[in-house]
Amino acid sequence: MSDQIKHECGIALIRLRKPLQYYIDKYKTPFYAANRLYVLMQKQINRGQDGAGIANIKINTPPGTRYISRYRSVESEAVTKIFQKINKKYKKSKKAGSEEDLIDASWIKEHTAFSGEVWLGHLRYGTHGQNSIETCHPFLKQNNWRSRNLVMAGNFNMTNVEELFDNLVKLGQHPKEKTDTVTVMEKIGHFLDEENQRIFDKYKGQFTNREITEVIEQELDVARILRRSCRDFDGGYAMAGLVGNGAGFVVRDPSGIRPAYYYADEEIIVVASEKPPIKTAFNIDYQQIKEIQPGNALIFAKDGSYAEHEIIPPREKKSCSFERIYFSRGTDPDIYRERKNLGRALVPQILKAIDFDLKNTVFSYIPNTAETAYYGMIEGLEDYLSAKRREILIEGKPHLEDLEDLLNFRPRVEKLVSKDVKLRTFITNDSDRDVMVSNVYDTTYEVIRSGVDTIVVIDDSIVRGTTLEKSILTTLDKLKPKRIIIVSSAPQIRFPDCYGIDMSRMRDFVAFRAVVELLRERDMEHVLDQVYDQCLANPDAEENFVKAIYEPFSDQEISDKIAEIITSESIDADVHVIYQTVHNLHLSCPGHRGDWYFTGDFPTEGGMRVVNKAFVNYMEGKVIRAY
């Protein structure tokens, strides 16, 4: 994606289902789980580079022994640095113990931090707020009762933080922050406390307090806790939690907005935000990896048993289509196929835009994640050429081309755009800075015929258009093409996201800026005022009023205006923009129909309120998030 945006975080969870000694004997290391977690997190590093954190719980430790360990970091290469710190702990223990000690699970758990059976890792992309150690997951709610401790990390945003905060205050709590992470953890923590108390009251008088503690840890009903906690949540979430006794869960929102996958066998339970890390870490078949269903929670008990439970009645599945277009790794076979389909689906629009003049057109892509869609686009062009040859050779249709040329012709493909290292601009003034930014991308010279060739370049998505305007178009124009056609494998982004992606302000979207200019050019600014009045008059409405500003215009009219916006006066080539259609998006990614950024059809009531508030913020000149 040429316009970088922050997006969904990543989670990684491992639960050993057998005693630690089993893994020492079988895998010849007490650090089997730690090594696997490292792979899970490194293979999801694309999901979060603002920070990382790890928590570990030891099961059945005696009183007076630390059983929860946690490290967090906001340094660069945070995952590596956290595991280096853990490794120092291991080396310290190795010096203190004998060879026999180092293969004795009991000794290791007593003398070594991060040697427990339950692991939770998190990779953070901060969509707002400070990037400090305090904002890094996992979060920890501590208590002197083991089964009241709660560790949480997640990939989520809530749209109703104010409501959740007020509910906590009504319960008598005094939350330290008004953020979704704190409110969610305190809400679940509250019902965890109530569940502990319920079981305690049930057995009070029948057992000693110490005996009741053991009973609580065995009978803790995590599904009941989550049903009571999550019923008020409005947002997209995949949240992972560990209880101090060794139980845990991963719960997913009822629309399936945020992803969560798991694998389990007799040795292990593992959960991650993507499938490829699980496959890589455990060398299993993709068919063995399951998806946690929307509204469900995968729950494991202290004894290692597990099951998937319905927590909230599922809604129509609206899993994030941006996961498929851009965010998730393309090594997932389904995602790889879908991205190729997205590129292939654009071919009819591209052929029309170049007047079917393939001989004078060069195809390329904007690195790096658009490469797969590019392959699909090229395959689609080759299919078109095959169909043309079949018409001539088999069906005998007339043609103007030389038959020899037609048989030998292939689409002209070149790598025209390369991204260089970031250039520092600390000594430049404003006018110089744009020149410096234009050099972030480099190009391949002497492959474009000046004034003759058309360049077609595919990108994952065009969000703000800033990089296109200030860098990529300037770079390509140096080749002196006749035309430059920018192709987006995603539809026009018209509405903010409120479920985890950092696309929260209307003014940031080039499609929104385009439609506002069209309204002004055609003396239709009253539409903006009408929508603004509707939003103000109905702050709790479950309807997206902002859709109305796009209705007077066709997709093509908006695309043409976007092309004007991103084309500076210094560009000599004729610039066009082609976007994917929503219809073709659904055909290409049939199981992932979360398209609210394109259509405005938000899957939750809170999403509708957020988009209306975002528009009000724009009209009032407020450069803030709407949730």
Side-chain angles (χ1 to χ4, degrees), residues 271-287:
V271 183
S273 296
E274 300 183 28
K275 288 182 182 180
I278 299 177
K279 175 174 174 54
T280 301
F282 296 94
N283 192 28
I284 57 175
D285 294 333
Y286 272 103
Q287 292 73 19

Side-chain angles (χ1 to χ4, degrees), residues 385-402:
L385 288 170
S386 295
K388 292 294 290 182
R389 295 184 187 108
R390 185 166 52 250
E391 287 179 1
I392 295 167
L393 296 175
I394 299 176
E395 300 175 20
K397 291 189 177 180
H399 63 96
L400 298 176
E401 300 91 344
D402 180 86

Side-chain angles (χ1 to χ4, degrees), residues 260-512:
Y261 301 93
Y262 76 97
Y263 165 75
D265 60 24
E266 62 179 12
E267 293 185 1
I268 199 163
I269 302 167
V270 55
V271 183
S273 296
E274 300 183 28
K275 288 182 182 180
I278 299 177
K279 175 174 174 54
T280 301
F282 296 94
N283 192 28
I284 57 175
D285 294 333
Y286 272 103
Q287 292 73 19
Q288 296 175 273
I289 303 171
K290 300 179 181 178
E291 182 178 10
I292 299 175
Q293 294 304 302
N296 283 13
L298 180 72
I299 297 173
F300 54 87
K302 179 182 178 180
D303 64 5
S305 60
Y306 72 95
E308 193 169 339
H309 300 261
E310 183 178 300
I311 302 303
I312 305 174
R315 300 183 174 193
E316 180 185 359
K317 189 178 180 184
K318 292 283 187 177
S319 51
C320 174
S321 57
F322 255 120
E323 286 281 356
R324 324 304 286 184
I325 297 167
Y326 171 66
F327 295 142
S328 291
R329 281 180 178 260
T331 50
D332 182 308
D334 293 330
I335 292 176
Y336 183 79
R337 181 171 56 254
E338 290 166 11
R339 289 181 182 172
K340 288 184 74 174
N341 289 342
L342 288 168
R344 185 187 296 271
L346 287 159
V347 169
Q349 291 172 261
I350 293 170
L351 288 171
K352 183 177 179 181
I354 64 172
D355 300 319
F356 296 85
D357 183 10
L358 289 171
K359 289 184 177 180
N360 298 311
T361 303
V362 175
F363 297 90
S364 192
Y365 61 93
I366 296 171
N368 285 323
T369 52
E371 187 174 1
T372 306
Y374 167 76
Y375 291 144
M377 177 182 70
I378 297 304
E379 286 183 5
L381 291 169
E382 289 173 343
D383 289 346
Y384 164 77
L385 288 170
S386 295
K388 292 294 290 182
R389 295 184 187 108
R390 185 166 52 250
E391 287 179 1
I392 295 167
L393 296 175
I394 299 176
E395 300 175 20
K397 291 189 177 180
H399 63 96
L400 298 176
E401 300 91 344
D402 180 86
L403 186 58
E404 183 75 18
D405 290 343
L406 184 65
L407 289 173
N408 293 328
F409 183 78
R410 295 289 183 273
R412 295 172 61 194
V413 297
E414 303 288 352
K415 185 170 182 179
L416 294 179
V417 182
S418 301
K419 191 170 185 179
D420 283 343
V421 296
K422 291 183 179 179
L423 297 176
R424 299 292 297 274
T425 57
F426 53 90
I427 60 170
T428 62
N429 57 32
D430 288 344
S431 60
D432 291 334
R433 186 170 288 109
D434 284 350
V435 175
M436 293 291 288
V437 169
S438 71
N439 288 302
V440 169
Y441 287 89
D442 203 352
T443 188
T444 306
Y445 293 95
E446 305 298 331
V447 295
I448 299 298
R449 293 174 295 179
S450 176
V452 176
D453 287 337
T454 293
I455 295 174
V456 174
V457 180
I458 190 168
D459 196 358
D460 295 297
S461 181
I462 304 169
V463 185
R464 304 177 183 93
T466 309
T467 307
L468 286 173
E469 177 185 359
K470 296 187 178 298
S471 184
I472 293 171
L473 283 176
T474 301
T475 300
L476 292 175
D477 196 57
K478 294 176 183 177
L479 302 176
K480 301 188 182 302
K482 179 181 178 181
R483 286 183 297 183
I484 301 172
I485 300 176
I486 304 295
V487 182
S488 169
S489 68
Q492 295 170 2
I493 298 172
R494 300 180 172 189
F495 303 96
D497 180 76
C498 53
Y499 303 124
I501 305 173
D502 185 21
M503 299 192 305
S504 56
R505 297 185 296 264
M506 300 292 297
R507 64 192 293 271
D508 289 342
F509 307 133
V510 68
F512 177 77

Side-chain angles (χ1 to χ4, degrees), residues 247-266:
F249 63 86
V250 177
V251 61
R252 197 172 177 208
D253 67 82
S255 299
I257 296 170
R258 299 273 74 85
Y261 301 93
Y262 76 97
Y263 165 75
D265 60 24
E266 62 179 12

